[in-house]
Structures are given as C-alpha cells and as structure tokens.
Amino acid sequence: GVTESTGEPFQHGRLAGEETFDWPVAPTRDGGTADLREIPPEEAGYHDQCYATNLDAGWYALTNPTLDLGFAFTFPTDPFECVWYWQPLGGFEEAPYWGRNYNVGLEPTTAYPLSVDEQRAGGRMETLAPGETAEASFTARTYGGVDGIADVSPSDGVTGREV
C-alpha cells in the first residue's frame, strides 16, 4: 500500500505520510505500525487515507464479529487497480463533517493519490477518449457466520477463514 501525505486535511492522521507498506501493517507517524484491518474507536479522532495497491484480486470485505455481520464487494482489477481506504474516524475537522463522522470508505479506483494533478504527473490516471465507453461488473453482498474472510468471488460468494 501507499499512505497519503500528512498535510491538509490529514493533520489528525496516525499514518506516516507518503510511505509504502505491505498490507495490512502501515507505518505510523510515531514510528510504530498500525494494522489497517482493525478500526480504532471514535474517540481516537483520526483522519487518514491510504491506498491498497498491487492487488492480487478485486475484492474487499469488512466483518463485525460482535454483530455477526459483514459486507463484501468485488470489482475488476482492470481498470480498478487500487482501493482508496479513507478513514475519517472522528478526526476530519473540515466542512461539512467538523469531526462528527466516524466511518471508513473503501473505493475501487483507477488511480492514486488524492491529488488529480499528482495522478496525471505520475501517469496513473486512466482516461476515456470522447465517445469511448467502459463497462465493469461489481457485486455487493452481506454475510454472517464467519470471523474472517479467505476469499470473495462474484459467483461463489464469501469463503470464511479461521482466525
């Protein structure tokens, strides 16, 4: 993965800025690490963004064992070669949130980082010519009965793993 810069609007972030890492353990500003599979409590007041890159497969899943509920999403890795992992965990102080939102956003995308100008400069921005079209198929599903996920397939569903 790759972490976003530590400037605006990420001044309340825990992740080190503009670093590469092996998923799911990312470097933190204090010299430690954070397991991105775990979501900190709201009172932590973090606001980070990073990017899952070099994907082996096009899926992600979130599992809440306490609620016995999960959400899984599949997408094609061509052209969606990375996933934006936005983490406004009580620390996004800008409008319209003012520190009141506690959520994560997982967005399959064709490019990173956040800045469109940096995407263009890095040659990572996919574009369509006038009149050109693109098609993609996605699946979203909920699940229960598992503590962890080994695989998600559009046709076979969610495969649990032992944790």
Side-chain angles (χ1 to χ4, degrees):
V2 177
T3 60
E4 182 57 69
S5 69
T6 57
E8 294 288 334
F10 303 105
Q11 67 270 21
H12 297 294
R14 65 183 165 148
L15 301 181
E18 301 178 22
E19 298 284 339
T20 59
F21 64 93
D22 291 329
W23 178 265
V25 181
T28 58
R29 293 179 189 192
D30 64 5
T33 58
D35 185 338
L36 297 177
R37 294 172 297 187
E38 299 174 4
I39 298 175
E42 185 174 2
E43 58 270 11
Y46 295 131
H47 182 216
D48 285 301
Q49 182 155 322
C50 62
Y51 311 96
T53 59
N54 302 317
L55 303 175
D56 292 331
W59 65 268
Y60 63 77
L62 293 156
T63 307
N64 184 328
T66 303
L67 297 176
D68 189 27
L69 180 64
F71 174 80
F73 190 78
T74 67
F75 58 93
T77 56
D78 180 16
F80 303 102
E81 63 187 46
C82 66
V83 174
W84 287 22
Y85 185 14
W86 180 45
Q87 305 158 64
L89 303 169
F92 190 8
E93 297 293 336
E94 294 184 6
Y97 304 108
W98 310 117
R100 297 175 299 186
N101 62 323
Y102 176 72
N103 61 280
V104 298
L106 292 159
E107 307 170 43
T109 187
T110 61
Y112 67 94
L114 187 59
S115 163
V116 171
D117 291 337
E118 290 179 57
Q119 291 175 17
R120 283 190 183 116
R124 288 187 294 274
M125 179 179 279
E126 296 285 333
T127 59
L128 294 175
E132 185 179 9
T133 62
E135 292 185 24
S137 293
F138 306 90
T139 60
R141 65 182 75 227
T142 58
Y143 60 89
V146 297
D147 290 334
I149 302 300
D151 190 34
V152 178
S153 163
S155 57
D156 299 328
V158 175
T159 303
R161 70 169 169 79
E162 295 200 23
V163 274

